[in-house]
């Protein structure tokens, strides 16, 4: 039973990772064994059981103590530091558990039995006690000293990967402290295992950061970002190795060196770094070759070579896509699949390099100038550092050097061929300045050639070529500099002579046109322009006269500009003077001439010229401003007056007829602009400085007054001419005025009447036209009466009025003829309908004027039908009358009111006959109802009922509802 219990406890302990020490059978509680101790010692069976138990304990304890944390490393695994920390914590916990078992009462009974029996296993038991005690001491020491390192590594595991590098030294410092503080852990074998585990940890964190199988997919998605991550990992791990070397060196100084080989520590780490180097190379090459997509070659064969490069690029894309589609973890150094694919990729890249060399060499052969070669080298710079390409391209670089030397020779030849032909430099720049600019351009050209050479200089291995290019460039620079120095000297001498001449010249002179102007203006402008270019030359030395002008060139420029503006203003006033304004400004012009004569006595070299010019310029500009403003006002007045002639006092409305009165907006404009004319004249009086009573001012106002009168005449003439033209049958295109023909009790008549009414309308229109001339105020102060009174006396305008009235007389006759023609319907509105009806009922017709008496003959239905049909004929005839008739080409007559009234009268006549028949039908139906019969009967007037109803229906008359109801009954 005891054995089975021990076996169960052993199995349970193994499951929990503990070492259980089984007890022998036959042991009892402590108190019972004390009373029978002598008998138990002599019990050989129990002693034998205790011996076997000690042997088993020794095996269990020895097996446990022989366990070592390096076993995982020996087995070829890659444990992390956490395995080391867990090992020692578990070891300490298990040793304490074993120690607790050995100190139990039953274990003490076993010890007491074998000791008293002087068993040979008593010493074995004592060794067990000692080994366990030493093991506990060791485990406690190691666990205590590894704890800070464990905490540091756990902290590192929680960091962002970018922070690891800064913590490498602190991690190894903790390892160093374990080495110098731990009594039992300072053994090379244990430090090798610990450092290997730390390396494994950093490898694990690095692979986790790089996302394992996703690394190579970055070749096509974002190679730059992944390459940065790979470089960061390599940098971080190399930092760890550097930190290890620093700690190791420090320990050697302290005589506590780690004397174990470093390759034992970094075996896996170096393999991992080597793998990362391969990945980095693949990404670096890919980033270089991705730039092939941007290559665009120019020239005759550029399109062809560009297509070749694009084919290379497409092949590269296929290769890099194949490499990125790997289904393994390339960061695992133990997996050789990546190495095979990487080797294949490198072979493919080498093939692309050879094809690229062919393109590049042929393109370099086609380069005719160094700038093209430099652009080509810059374009392919991303692959020129590749050894295969660099070796193949190097022979072509000698040709590029020769090309640069040839360009430098051409620059020198161009200088010698053009240096004496200054007209080729520039047509719009001083010859000396243009020559300096030309030589500067030649220098820039040489510098461009040198700069192009510097683009591919690093690819050249022959230093003699580089020295030759630099020497040739310096020769050209020295040649150009000598020429520039000579040009500056000659320019300074000529400029000094020109400046001396200018300083002696007077400011003003009379020009060839007889007008006063700035003296030597063209030569002065040329000198000032040259001085502007002199200011740009830092090494130009000026002689006395040129230096004097250069020093005060701003003042001279201001003086020249001021004088030029002054004379321009003065000459503008004098040359463009208006006839009517000359008397107003004659006195001021004489004063200005005296002022300008003072300027003629000064030269360009005189002192205090600029203040004098500014003073005189102020007077001239003030006078010029006043005169020009007055002239602008005169132009504004002329524009206003001319604008009146374009006004439409008479115009057609939307329906093409003349509006009855001139537009109020035109009146308002004429009135307002008339006031504006008056205001502008007062402004001009102030600008000219004239008095109201001066004769010259009165003549000026009379001149403006004549313009106003002429403008108003044009306005009235145009308006009356418009009216006359639109009333002339030969020239009018549409009706101008409209009347309507009305039918009243007294007969037909025009509204308004063609006689007095239309005449009054035209008179009003003409009066309104003349009224426009009364709106502007009179400008002249010596003339009386408004403009309307004067213009009404104009023969031209009176003649137009007579033409209008003559047209009115002609249209009046035609209108009366029209009205007379429509009087053929007068019997309809003049006859007495009741009398006519009574006469019809008596005689069945209307008696003629000569018939005084006739036999009474009552009408029949046919008589009624005859009268109704005659009215229908009249109705159709009137309906087809024209709604509008245009008389004499300009008077529109509206006939619709007359027609509508006449149709209403015809309708009343018809109703007179049909109402009579309706009454007859009503009486007949009433008689039939009273008799109660259903036979055909006649009406009270003797008309057959059915025929009467049919006649009414033919006439378009419907029976009332009560009569229709009686018929249905």
């Amino acid at each position: 039973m005891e054995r089975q219990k021990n076996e169960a406890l052993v199995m349970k302990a193994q499951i929990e990772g503990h070492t259980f020490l089984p007890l022998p059978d036959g042991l009892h509680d402590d108190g019972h064994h004390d009373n029978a101790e002598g008998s138990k010692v002599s019990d050989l069976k129990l002693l034998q059981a205790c011996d076997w138990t000690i042997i088993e304990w020794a095996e269990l304890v020895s097996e446990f103590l022989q366990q070592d944390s390096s076993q995982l490393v020996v087995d070829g695994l890659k444990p992390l530091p956490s395995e080391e920390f867990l090992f020692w914590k578990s070891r300490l916990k298990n040793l304490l558990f074993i120690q607790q078992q050995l100190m139990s009462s039953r274990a003490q009974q076993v010890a007491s039995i074998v000791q008293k029996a002087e068993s040979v296993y008593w010493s074995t038991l004592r060794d067990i006690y000692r080994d366990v005690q030493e093991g506990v001491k060791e485990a406690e020491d190691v666990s205590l000293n590894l704890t800070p390192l464990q905490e540091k590594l756990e902290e590192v595991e929680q960091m962002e990967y970018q922070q690891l590098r800064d913590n490498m030294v602190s991690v190894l410092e903790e390892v160093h402290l374990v080495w110098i503080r731990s009594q039992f852990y300072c053994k090379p074998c244990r430090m090798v295992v610990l450092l290997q585990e730390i390396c494994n940890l950093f490898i694990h964190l690095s692979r986790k950061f790089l996302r394992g199988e996703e690394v190579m997919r970055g070749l096509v998605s974002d190679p730059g970002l992944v390459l940065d991550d790979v470089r960061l990992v390599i940098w971080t791990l190399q930092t760890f190795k550097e930190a290890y070397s620093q700690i190791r060196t420090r320990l050697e100084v302290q005589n506590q060196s780690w004397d174990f080989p470093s390759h034992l520590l970094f075996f896996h780490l170096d393999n991992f770094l080597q793998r990362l180097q391969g990945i980095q190379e693949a990404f670096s090459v890919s980033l270089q070759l991705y730039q092939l997509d941007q290559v665009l070659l120019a020239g005759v064969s550029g399109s062809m070579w560009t297509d070749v490069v694009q084919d290379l690029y497409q092949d590269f894309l296929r290769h890099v896509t194949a490499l990125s589609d790997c289904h393994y973890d390339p960061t695992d150094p133990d997996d050789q699949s990546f190495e095979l694919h990487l080797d294949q990729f490198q072979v493919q890249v080498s093939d692309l390099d050879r094809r690229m060399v062919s393109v590049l060499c042929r393109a370099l052969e086609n380069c005719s100038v160094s700038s093209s070669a430099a652009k080509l080298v810059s374009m392919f710079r991303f692959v020129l550092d590749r050894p295969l390409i660099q070796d193949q391209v190097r022979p072509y670089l000698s040709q590029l050097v020769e090309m640069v030397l040839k360009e430098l020779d051409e620059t020198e030849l161009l200088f010698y061929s053009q240096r004496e032909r200054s007209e080729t430099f520039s047509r719009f720049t001083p010859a000396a300045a243009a020559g300096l600019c030309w030589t500067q351009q030649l220098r820039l050209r040489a510098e461009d050639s040198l700069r192009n050479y510097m683009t591919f200089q690093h690819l050249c291995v022959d230093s003699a070529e580089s020295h030759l290019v630099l020497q040739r460039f310096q020769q050209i620079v020295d040649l150009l500099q000598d020429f520039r120095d000579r040009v500056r000297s000659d320019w300074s001498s000529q400029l000094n002579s020109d400046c001396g001449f200018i300083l002696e010249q007077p400011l003003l002179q009379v020009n060839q046109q007889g007008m006063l102007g700035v003296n030597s203006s063209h030569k002065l402008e040329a000198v000032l322009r040259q001085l502007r270019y002199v200011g740009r030359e830092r090494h130009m030395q000026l002689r006395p006269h040129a230096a004097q002008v250069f020093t005060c060139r701003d003042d001279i420029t201001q003086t020249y500009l001021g004088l030029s503006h002054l004379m321009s203003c003065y000459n503008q006033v004098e040359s463009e003077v208006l006839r009517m304004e000359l008397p107003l400004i004659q006195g001021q012009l004489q004063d200005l001439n005296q002022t300008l004569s003072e300027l003629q006595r000064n030269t360009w070299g005189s002192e205090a010229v600029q203040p004098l010019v500014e003073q005189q310029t102020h007077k001239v500009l003030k006078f010029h401003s006043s005169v020009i403003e007055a002239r602008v006002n005169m132009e504004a007045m002329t524009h206003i007056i001319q604008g009146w002639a374009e006004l439409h006092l008479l115009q057609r409305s939307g329906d093409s007829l003349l509006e009855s009165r001139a537009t109020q907006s035109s009146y308002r404009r004429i009135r307002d602009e008339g006031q504006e004319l008056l205001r502008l004249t007062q402004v001009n009086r102030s600008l000219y400085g004239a008095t109201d009573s001066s004769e010259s001012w009165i003549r000026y106002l009379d001149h403006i007054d004549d313009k106003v009168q002429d403008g108003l005449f044009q306005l009235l003439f145009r308006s009356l001419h418009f009216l006359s033209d639109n009333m002339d049958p030969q020239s009018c295109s549409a009706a101008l005025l409209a009347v309507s023909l009305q039918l009243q009790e007294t007969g037909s008549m025009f509204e308004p009447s063609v006689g007095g009414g239309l005449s009054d309308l035209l008179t009003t229109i003409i009066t309104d036209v003349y009224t426009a001339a009364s709106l502007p105020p009179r400008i002249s102060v010596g003339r009386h009466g408004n403009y309307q009174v004067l213009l009404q006396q104009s023969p031209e305008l009176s003649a137009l009025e007579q033409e209008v009235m003559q047209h009115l007389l002609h249209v009046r006759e035609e209108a009366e003829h029209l009205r007379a023609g429509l009087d053929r319907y007068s019997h309809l509105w003049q006859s007495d309908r009741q009398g006519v009806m009574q006469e019809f009922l008596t005689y069945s017709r209307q008696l003629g004027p000569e018939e005084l008496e006739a036999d009474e003959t009552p009408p029949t239905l046919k008589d009624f039908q005859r009268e109704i049909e005659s009215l229908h004929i009249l109705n159709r005839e009137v309906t087809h009358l024209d709604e509008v008739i245009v008389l004499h080409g300009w008077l529109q007559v509206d006939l619709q009111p007359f027609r509508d009234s006449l149709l209403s009268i015809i309708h009343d006549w018809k109703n007179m006959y049909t109402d009579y028949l309706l009454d007859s039908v009503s009486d007949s139906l009433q008689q039939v109802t009273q008799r109660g019969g259903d036979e055909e009967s006649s009406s009270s007037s003797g008309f057959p009922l059915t025929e009467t109803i049919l006649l009414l229906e033919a006439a378009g008359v419907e029976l009332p509802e009560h009569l229709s109801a009686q018929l249905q009954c």
Side-chain angles (χ1 to χ4, degrees), residues 81-275:
S82 58
E83 299 286 345
E84 185 77 15
F85 303 142
L86 180 61
F87 172 83
W88 286 105
K89 287 185 178 180
S90 300
R91 186 181 183 90
L92 176 60
K93 184 177 181 181
N94 200 22
L95 285 171
L96 292 175
F97 180 65
I98 294 173
Q99 190 179 54
Q100 181 183 3
Q101 293 180 80
L102 290 174
M103 299 306 296
S104 66
S105 59
R106 291 201 171 196
Q108 291 299 317
Q109 288 183 31
V110 173
S112 176
I113 291 172
V114 296
Q115 181 182 8
K116 289 183 178 181
E118 297 181 356
S119 171
V120 295
Y121 294 104
W122 167 242
S123 60
T124 302
L125 182 58
R126 285 182 301 181
D127 291 341
I128 292 175
Y129 279 118
R130 185 189 68 248
D131 292 343
V132 170
Q133 185 64 30
E134 290 178 356
V136 169
K137 183 178 179 181
E138 179 191 35
E140 288 179 342
D141 174 77
V142 173
S143 296
L144 177 64
N145 287 284
L146 288 180
T147 298
L149 176 61
Q150 179 182 2
E151 293 174 352
K152 180 62 180 178
L153 291 177
E154 290 175 351
E155 177 185 349
V156 166
E157 289 187 59
Q158 301 302 318
M159 292 179 180
E160 295 291 336
Y161 193 87
Q162 291 79 358
Q163 300 174 303
L164 292 185
R165 180 174 176 272
D166 297 332
N167 288 271
M168 293 302 181
V169 175
S170 59
V171 169
L172 288 172
E173 287 289 352
E174 293 296 338
V175 176
H176 173 221
L177 293 177
V178 173
W179 173 261
I180 62 177
R181 290 178 180 176
S182 176
Q183 178 182 354
F184 298 95
Y185 208 79
C186 54
K187 299 176 182 180
C189 62
R190 288 185 172 172
M191 294 307 298
V192 169
V193 172
L194 179 60
L195 288 171
Q196 281 189 5
E197 292 173 343
I198 293 175
C199 289
N200 293 337
L201 173 62
F202 287 132
I203 292 173
H204 170 73
L205 294 177
S206 299
R207 293 180 63 187
K208 181 181 178 181
F209 171 68
L210 294 175
R211 297 182 299 279
E213 294 183 359
E214 299 182 9
V215 172
M216 301 310 296
R217 297 173 189 167
L219 280 172
V220 294
S221 60
D222 197 346
L225 179 61
V226 177
L227 179 60
D228 290 342
D229 292 344
V230 172
R231 287 172 175 169
L232 174 63
V233 171
I234 294 175
W235 187 28
T236 302
L237 297 181
Q238 289 176 342
T239 301
F240 176 72
K241 296 182 66 174
E242 293 171 359
Y244 167 79
S245 299
Q246 295 173 5
I247 297 295
R248 182 171 183 144
T249 302
R250 191 193 313 167
L251 288 173
E252 290 176 355
V253 175
Q254 298 172 357
N255 295 323
Q256 299 176 345
S257 63
W258 289 336
D259 54 358
F260 41 83
S262 299
H263 72 272
L264 297 177
L265 308 178
F266 303 120
F267 176 75
H268 294 301
L269 186 63
D270 288 341
N271 288 341
F272 182 66
L273 282 171
Q274 185 177 0
R275 177 59 60 85

Side-chain angles (χ1 to χ4, degrees), residues 39-66:
S39 61
K40 290 181 181 178
V41 171
S42 62
D43 191 345
L44 294 178
K45 186 177 180 180
L46 180 58
L47 176 61
Q48 185 179 10
C50 290
D51 289 342
W52 281 108
T53 298
I54 292 173
I55 293 172
E56 188 175 0
W57 286 0
E59 292 177 354
L60 291 173
V61 171
S62 175
E63 181 183 356
F64 174 72
L65 292 176
Q66 288 177 5

Side-chain angles (χ1 to χ4, degrees), residues 730-921:
Q730 304 299 323
S731 59
C732 64
S733 59
L736 181 68
L737 298 177
V739 296
S740 63
L741 183 62
Q742 306 283 345
L743 182 56
Q744 300 180 359
E745 294 180 357
T746 57
S748 61
M749 60 182 302
F750 291 102
E751 179 63 36
S753 64
V754 180
L758 196 58
S759 176
D760 293 342
L761 175 61
L762 287 173
T763 301
T764 302
I765 292 174
I766 294 173
T767 301
D768 290 341
V769 170
Y770 277 105
T771 300
S774 67
L775 299 176
R778 195 68 185 261
I779 300 298
S780 175
V781 295
R783 300 171 181 175
H784 303 288
N786 60 31
Y787 298 107
Q788 179 182 356
V789 175
L790 295 174
L791 294 175
Q792 284 177 335
Q793 301 171 5
S794 168
E796 294 90 344
L797 298 181
S798 298
L800 288 175
E801 289 183 57
Q802 294 300 321
E803 290 181 9
V804 169
M805 293 305 172
Q806 189 67 29
H807 292 315
L808 177 61
L809 181 61
H810 293 159
V811 85
R812 182 186 302 169
E813 297 175 356
E814 191 171 346
E816 288 300 327
H817 179 71
L818 172 65
R819 189 180 65 82
L822 294 175
D823 281 347
R824 64 182 180 272
Y825 302 110
S826 60
H827 65 279
L828 293 174
W829 66 78
Q830 291 177 353
S831 298
D832 180 14
R833 283 198 299 273
Q834 294 299 328
V836 171
M837 184 62 181
Q838 187 61 41
E839 188 174 334
F840 173 75
L841 293 176
T842 304
Y843 304 106
S844 68
R845 61 186 177 85
Q846 187 176 356
L847 298 179
E850 71 283 356
E851 294 184 274
L852 298 178
E853 292 183 3
D855 296 333
E856 293 185 5
T857 306
T860 64
L861 279 178
K862 288 186 178 182
D863 295 328
F864 276 92
Q865 183 178 7
R866 183 190 67 243
E867 295 297 327
I868 292 174
E869 288 179 352
S870 65
L871 290 172
H872 273 299
I873 293 172
L874 282 175
N875 186 81
R876 285 194 300 270
E877 182 180 339
V878 171
T879 302
H880 287 86
L881 289 176
D882 293 331
E883 292 185 2
V884 175
I885 296 177
V886 178
L887 302 178
H888 213 252
W890 62 269
L891 181 62
Q892 176 179 298
V893 179
D894 185 6
L895 295 179
Q896 187 170 355
F898 172 81
R899 190 185 64 177
D900 293 344
S901 299
L902 187 56
L903 288 174
S904 178
I905 293 174
I906 293 173
H907 184 70
D908 291 341
W909 277 97
K910 187 187 75 169
N911 288 344
M912 180 180 71
Y913 293 106
T914 58
D915 288 347
Y916 182 85
L917 293 177
L918 280 175
D919 292 340
S920 174
V921 170

